[in-house]
Amino acid sequence: MTAKDLRRRIGDLSLQLRTSGTQTKPAEPRFVDFDMIRLANGDVVGRKKVIVMSGGCSVPTCTMCPFTNLNNYGIDGGTSRESLLDQVRRTLVRVENEPSYEVLSLYNDGSFFAPREIPRDVQVEIARLVAASGVKRLVVESLPQFVTEPVLAPFVEALGEVDLEIGIGLQSADMLVRETLVNTRISQVSFERALTVMAGQGADPKIYLMIKPPFLTDGEAVTDVVQSVDYLTGLGIQGITLCPTRVSRNTVAWELWQAGLYTPPNLWTVVEAIRRVHERLAVRVACVNLRGTDFESVFPDACPTCADGVVDALMQFGESGEAGDLPEGCPCRPPLEVTGLDHAIITARAAEQLNVLERSRV
């Protein structure tokens, strides 16, 4: 089976599993949280993270993403421009006893700069609202194909003195892993073009890499992270967040997990991946992927004795960037054979696993 055939089969299954409700969900952010975050320059600052209720991603193909279950994906009308602006206005009101923050991460379960998701005029009005709020840094997310100079220039102008950071879920530098196993619509060309546009507009990139996408083993996952970090640091990227894969319903990852064909990365695999790359840059771990409340998940795990301690250590490392904060070990730590990304082996394995899923769904 060719990678193209495999990509089509995985994409078809991913779309079949998408769910959309029949009733519009309330026009209010579906998730709000506060934490401390380490910036690429090493500063640790307060952050408010908000996921607004929206019409969802316009390119919902990824094998592990459950967001279509949580927003208004597929519902006529989705979410109106007035609703989006009202949610942002209410988000920016500082209320009594609210933790202080200077970074606002404002997400929409998709691509902020996709016009089908957030109209152009709404994007610019959001920038104006943020500029007037006292926030020092705004973080949004987008697929790179939507990050163009005609879109970004007026947005940056409206932000004024507010720094802009754009998260891109590259997930992997390996084309087979990224475009087929994760099934994201990101090419190397579109990614590097977006980086050039961002640099020209003074926006900082924040790149997400997955730890153990569906169909990979833990040993392959470590290699994938190392090679991806090598690629990104070669481009001069410093803002990299590692996202251990968690499993949620109505995704390809869930189907594989239910069939006994996939498990999230062992927590010690996450530790090993960090140890192999942290000297090149101060990577951080998306701790919501280890102990999140934004949606129901099967999380990366270890034994009952060490799991909580490992997660706590990874969260501490996320703030400090110090290798001394990483956990040392546990008798439960499974043997890990770090192996290369043999595309022929991975493709054959993925095809067989899809065969198993297709037979079980008949």
Side-chain angles (χ1 to χ4, degrees):
M1 174 177 290
T2 66
K4 182 178 180 180
D5 292 334
L6 183 62
R7 186 179 309 125
R8 177 186 54 77
R9 290 177 65 190
I10 292 175
D12 288 347
L13 177 58
S14 185
L15 289 172
Q16 290 169 20
L17 293 168
R18 298 294 165 194
T19 62
S20 58
T22 57
Q23 186 172 4
T24 303
K25 297 178 179 64
E28 58 188 33
R30 70 167 185 82
F31 182 79
V32 178
D33 192 27
F34 296 87
D35 63 4
M36 303 298 293
I37 187 170
R38 175 167 44 85
L39 304 178
N41 65 5
D43 291 346
V44 178
V45 298
R47 173 177 70 160
K48 184 175 186 178
K49 178 180 176 181
V50 177
I51 305 175
V52 297
M53 182 56 63
S54 72
C57 180
S58 53
V59 194
T61 60
C62 295
T63 52
M64 71 298 173
C65 179
F67 292 154
T68 55
N69 305 335
L70 307 173
N71 52 49
N72 290 323
Y73 171 75
I75 298 175
D76 287 342
T79 302
S80 69
R81 64 183 308 281
E82 291 77 15
S83 167
L84 290 169
L85 288 172
D86 183 60
Q87 290 180 71
V88 173
R89 290 189 187 99
R90 284 184 282 134
T91 288
L92 293 171
V93 174
R94 305 263 179 166
V95 300
E96 188 177 1
N97 297 323
E98 182 178 71
S100 63
Y101 64 93
E102 62 182 66
V103 175
L104 173 64
S105 292
L106 185 65
Y107 303 140
N108 65 304
D109 281 340
S111 291
F112 185 92
F113 294 112
R116 288 176 54 190
E117 300 177 36
I118 301 181
R120 297 277 186 255
D121 63 324
V122 176
Q123 296 172 17
V124 174
E125 182 59 26
I126 288 173
R128 294 193 184 103
L129 292 170
V130 171
S133 72
V135 167
K136 294 182 179 179
R137 174 175 287 262
L138 173 67
V139 184
V140 297
E141 296 178 345
S142 181
L143 286 169
Q145 54 264 42
F146 301 116
V147 180
T148 64
E149 186 172 354
V151 170
L152 207 54
F155 187 80
V156 170
E157 182 180 3
L159 275 178
E161 298 300 313
V162 178
D163 293 330
L164 175 63
E165 189 171 1
I166 302 175
I168 297 179
L170 180 68
Q171 315 304 5
S172 172
D174 185 273
M175 186 171 72
L176 176 70
V177 176
R178 181 182 67 253
E179 297 185 16
T180 300
L181 307 189
V182 177
N183 210 240
T184 186
R185 297 301 182 256
I186 297 179
S187 69
Q188 183 176 338
V189 171
S190 69
F191 175 69
E192 294 184 6
R193 181 202 52 76
L195 293 180
T196 299
V197 171
M198 291 162 63
Q201 295 297 320
D204 298 322
K206 177 182 182 179
I207 311 304
Y208 301 98
L209 297 176
M210 288 184 70
I211 301 180
K212 198 183 177 186
F215 305 104
L216 288 188
T217 66
D218 281 62
E220 291 165 341
V222 173
T223 297
D224 184 43
V225 169
V226 172
Q227 292 181 354
S228 296
V229 168
D230 285 345
Y231 166 69
L232 291 172
T233 53
L235 294 174
I237 303 298
Q238 291 299 306
I240 299 177
T241 298
L242 302 182
C243 302
T245 303
R246 52 177 171 157
V247 178
S248 187
R249 296 177 187 276
N250 299 103
T251 64
V252 174
W254 176 271
E255 297 293 305
L256 292 169
W257 177 75
Q258 286 281 84
L261 300 172
Y262 176 80
T263 58
N266 187 280
L267 285 172
W268 291 105
T269 299
V270 177
V271 173
E272 181 64 25
I274 293 169
R275 287 195 180 279
R276 292 188 178 222
V277 300
H278 83 276
E279 290 184 355
R280 270 162 283 179
L281 79 169
V283 295
R284 61 180 300 273
V285 181
C287 290
V288 69
N289 288 53
L290 300 174
R291 193 187 274 161
T293 58
D294 51 338
F295 56 83
E296 180 186 5
S297 304
V298 179
F299 292 99
D301 205 356
C303 79
T305 300
C306 72
D308 284 346
V310 175
V311 172
D312 288 342
L314 289 172
M315 294 176 73
Q316 178 62 34
F317 171 80
E319 289 189 20
S320 72
E322 298 292 335
D325 287 327
L326 292 172
E328 289 302 323
C330 176
C332 80
R333 184 170 185 166
L336 180 65
E337 181 182 357
V338 177
T339 57
L341 297 177
D342 187 316
H343 283 192
I345 291 175
I346 294 169
T347 299
R349 179 199 305 138
E352 178 53 35
Q353 290 180 351
L354 282 178
N355 289 339
V356 172
L357 293 185
E358 289 170 356
R359 288 194 294 268
S360 68
R361 291 170 59 82
V362 172

